[in-house]
């Protein structure tokens, strides 16, 4: 049975397949494609999709591998909801995508990548502002390379997003390196 499609060409019955079709049609030029997907596992397995915004420039596969490593770290830290990190379908999306609002309506799991450099707060806040202006998601999981504490950058970002943009950022507890149990 063919998947029903809406006006944007995204399958209502198979959203991931519709997104892959869209990425194939709009990607692959001389420049960076606006969307990249990285998935693993067999096609028959149901895989949760995680839309990720705010990733730094670079090769798309390496950018998504950083997200996968974060899922692996969280799973190892006892966040059972992650399950097998390799089963997640990860989709990198530019916050300026013309399909942002459509995807925000279709996809329920969104994440914001926050780097660990001194300008990361500014970049992350600007990304959130563009999401808000473009009709993007209003609830995002914060992913990062492994801050031991949320004090400072992440707490400030969460408060600014809530106060000025009405966006909720979800922060997961991190276990410091070397801590067992």
């Amino acid at each position: 049975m063919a998947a029903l499609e809406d006006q944007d060409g995204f399958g209502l019955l198979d959203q991931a397949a519709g997104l892959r079709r869209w990425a194939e049609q709009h990607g692959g030029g001389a420049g960076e494609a606006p969307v990249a997907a990285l998935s693993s596992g067999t096609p028959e397995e149901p895989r949760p999709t995680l839309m990720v915004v705010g990733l730094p420039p670079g090769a798309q596969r390496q950018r998504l591998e950083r997200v996968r490593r974060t899922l692996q770290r969280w799973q190892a830290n006892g966040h059972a909801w992650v399950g097998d990190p390799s089963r997640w379908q990860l989709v990198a999306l530019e916050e300026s995508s013309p399909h942002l609002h459509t995807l925000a309506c279709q996809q329920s799991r969104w994440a914001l990548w926050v780097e660990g450099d001194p300008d990361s707060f500014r970049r992350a806040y600007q990304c959130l502002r563009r999401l808000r202006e473009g009709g993007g998601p209003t609830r995002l999981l914060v992913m990062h390379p492994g801050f031991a504490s949320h004090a400072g950058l992440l707490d400030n970002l969460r408060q600014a997003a809530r106060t000025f943009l009405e966006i909720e950022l979800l922060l997961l507890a991190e276990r410091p390196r070397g801590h067992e149990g």
Side-chain angles (χ1 to χ4, degrees), residues 106-133:
Q106 292 178 347
Q107 299 295 326
S108 60
R109 294 179 188 96
W110 287 79
L112 170 69
W113 182 265
V114 179
E115 276 297 316
D117 63 89
D119 288 332
S120 59
F121 177 90
R122 179 186 53 78
R123 283 193 315 272
Y125 185 80
Q126 287 175 344
C127 177
L128 290 170
R129 205 174 83 220
R130 286 189 293 271
L131 286 177
R132 184 68 176 162
E133 292 166 357

Side-chain angles (χ1 to χ4, degrees), residues 125 155-169:
Y125 185 80
D155 278 341
N156 290 343
L157 183 61
R158 179 172 49 185
Q159 182 178 358
R162 181 180 51 236
T163 302
F164 300 112
L165 302 173
E166 297 177 355
I167 292 177
E168 181 183 4
L169 297 181

Side-chain angles (χ1 to χ4, degrees), residues 8-115:
D8 292 327
F10 294 99
L12 296 175
L13 298 178
D14 187 357
Q15 295 172 359
L19 185 57
R20 284 191 297 275
R21 277 194 314 275
W22 180 86
E24 289 169 4
Q25 292 170 354
H26 293 86
E32 188 96 346
V35 161
L38 174 66
S39 63
S40 57
T42 61
E44 297 81 29
E45 294 177 11
R47 294 184 312 240
T49 299
L50 181 63
M51 307 296 291
V52 185
V53 294
L55 286 165
Q60 294 178 14
R61 188 164 196 78
Q62 286 84 2
R63 296 179 335 160
L64 291 172
E65 281 301 329
R66 296 180 78 192
V67 173
R68 178 119 25 237
R69 284 193 301 271
T70 299
L71 288 172
Q72 291 167 343
R73 186 179 71 242
W74 287 346
Q75 194 269 341
N77 279 341
H79 294 286
W81 63 267
V82 172
D84 179 4
S86 67
R87 82 182 220 288
W88 284 81
Q89 173 151 341
L90 305 175
V91 180
L93 181 70
E94 297 298 323
E95 65 273 11
S96 58
S97 169
H99 301 286
L100 178 65
H101 179 72
T102 300
L103 291 169
C105 292
Q106 292 178 347
Q107 299 295 326
S108 60
R109 294 179 188 96
W110 287 79
L112 170 69
W113 182 265
V114 179
E115 276 297 316

